[in-house]
Amino acid sequence: MTRQSLAHIALVVRDYDEAIAFYVGTLGFTLVADEYQPAQDKRWVLVAPPGNPAGGATILLARAANEEQARFIGDQAGGRVFLFLQTDDFARDYQYLLDKGVRIEREPLEADYGTVAVFLDLYGNKWDLIEFR
């Protein structure tokens, strides 16, 4: 039987350090790796949300290498919600986002599948904060 899982999701960023400051400093993610790759003159930067299970998918903060890539910073999903941050306590984490000054795109709503709000990262990518029922 084949067993597969997502390892990393690449998120194109303008600058490694400003992205780390937002994801780790503002959202409270864990910095999993920050290693210089001399052969390609880039860094391997991985972050994960708090409580991410061992072996769970991480986000690769990938600095745009050229102007073509830079055009997609903040719009990797064509204006749609791009990433979905699942929580075990919506009220706690929504308040945390508010306290940290994170931009809220869509206020919380109750849906059949759970409670959800849309927030923006530092570049304008849309995220769902969601607590499934």
Side-chain angles (χ1 to χ4, degrees):
M1 176 201 240
T2 302
R3 183 169 180 249
Q4 299 177 337
S5 63
L6 290 176
H8 313 293
I9 298 167
L11 179 65
V12 181
V13 301
R14 183 175 34 244
D15 177 81
Y16 294 117
D17 294 323
E18 76 178 1
I20 291 169
F22 178 79
Y23 284 99
V24 175
T26 301
L27 292 187
F29 281 31
T30 300
L31 182 62
V32 176
D34 185 356
E35 303 161 2
Y36 180 63
Q37 307 290 312
Q40 297 173 328
D41 190 31
K42 65 180 184 180
R43 287 160 59 186
W44 180 255
V45 179
L46 298 174
V47 296
N52 199 43
T58 59
I59 295 175
L60 171 66
L61 301 177
R63 186 187 65 201
N66 55 46
E67 285 302 314
E68 182 179 352
Q69 291 177 12
R71 288 194 341 243
F72 294 96
I73 295 170
D75 192 26
Q76 289 192 210
R80 293 186 59 111
V81 170
F82 177 53
L83 296 165
F84 300 77
L85 183 60
Q86 182 177 341
T87 177
D88 64 346
D89 186 334
F90 182 89
R92 174 198 65 212
D93 291 345
Y94 182 73
Q95 187 60 53
Y96 179 86
L97 294 177
L98 293 175
D99 292 347
K100 288 292 194 169
V102 173
R103 295 177 293 166
I104 304 301
E105 174 81 2
R106 192 175 324 131
E107 296 295 320
L109 66 89
E110 295 291 328
D112 293 341
Y113 53 84
T115 307
V116 63
V118 178
F119 69 94
L120 304 178
D121 71 10
L122 75 164
Y123 300 113
N125 291 300
K126 293 180 182 177
W127 287 66
D128 269 2
L129 174 65
I130 186 165
E131 181 178 5
F132 292 107
R133 287 201 205 299

